[in-house]
Each structure stands twice: as C-alpha cells, then as structure tokens.
Amino acid sequence: RSSGFVWIYDAYPKSTYHLLVIPTMSSGLAVNSVADLKAKHLPLAQCMHAYAKRIANHLSNSTKNPVKVGYHAIPSMNRLHLHIISQDFLSPSLKTKKHWLSFTHSKLFLAPEVVEKEIEEKGDLKSVLNEAKNLETSRLECNRCKQVQKNMPTLMTHIASCLKTLN
C-alpha cells in the first residue's frame, strides 16, 4: 500500500508476474475505468503510474522477461486498475484471443505515457478508446518474434519455444 494505491496479485494471472494497482476509495481516483479519466485526474493518475513503475522495476530484477505497465482499453473489471505484467505469458489462465490481444496490442494495452499524453492534449481518452473498439479481431502474433499463429493453442506452444530460443 502506498499513498492512495494498493497492489494485488491478479486472480487469473496471464503471466508469471501479473499484478494490479488499484486506487483506494479515498484517493480521489475512484472511477470505474480508464475511460473515465479526465484532465482533473491527471496528477493522481501520474502518481499511480509512478507507483506501478516502481513495482515493475523491482519485478524486472526477478525475471529475464520485460515487465510492462498498462491499462486495458476495453477493461474486464469495473474499477480503475493498472496492470503490471511480465511478458512471458506462461499461464493456464491465458486462454482466449481476447486475453492475448488485451495485453499485447499497443492500442488495447495502453501504456501510462499514452494515457497521460492523450489526457494532456485532449482532456480525455475518447479517440484512443474509439480506435480500440475494432481491434479485438487482430491477428495472433508472437509478442517476441512477431510470427503469426492460427489459434491460441499453437500460439501458446510457439511462445514456450520462442522464450527458450530468445533467453
């Protein structure tokens, strides 16, 4: 717990390391989702981003895989939360194309910098979120070598072998 934010382990982790940073109800950032963030929330969102990045940096020392921080453009939970996730994606909970794309497509997994820039420039995230709506049908592409796979089982087999060759 730190100044208005808590971190928890994701109940259905999609990777070896998968945590959520959630603002407390008293933080002033208790909104439903990233779509609700406006210019007035920016200072608190930046604090939340810094907190998540400190955790991500700490986790990076425990894994060979990169650790990313981001929001789902199309969230599955109705409370603002920020994901911290290692990029190995070795998890039995990673089962669907929607799951995969929500963590690997840059317009579906929004980096804090993208969120901050959009809010600073436009006051909200409407244009970024509208762009994300039609992307859930994108190709299944390895997040490391970019090889396209036909379905989730072949993607998961590929990821396991791709990790071995790249580590």
Side-chain angles (χ1 to χ4, degrees), residues 26 57 65 101 119 131:
S26 62
N57 288 337
N65 298 294
L101 292 172
I119 291 172
E131 203 175 331

Side-chain angles (χ1 to χ4, degrees), residues 118-146:
E118 194 73 10
I119 291 172
E120 285 171 354
E121 292 177 1
K122 298 180 181 167
D124 61 34
L125 296 167
K126 284 180 187 168
S127 62
V128 169
L129 299 177
N130 282 335
E131 203 175 331
K133 287 180 184 173
N134 299 321
L135 296 172
E136 290 186 305
T137 58
S138 297
R139 303 180 317 177
L140 286 172
E141 189 176 90
C142 176
N143 62 315
R144 293 183 176 256
C145 72
K146 305 303 180 202

Side-chain angles (χ1 to χ4, degrees), residues 2-3 5 47 49-59 69 84:
S2 173
S3 59
F5 309 105
C47 290
H49 300 162
Y51 176 64
K53 288 176 185 178
R54 284 194 304 274
I55 296 168
N57 288 337
H58 178 73
L59 289 175
V69 174
I84 303 170

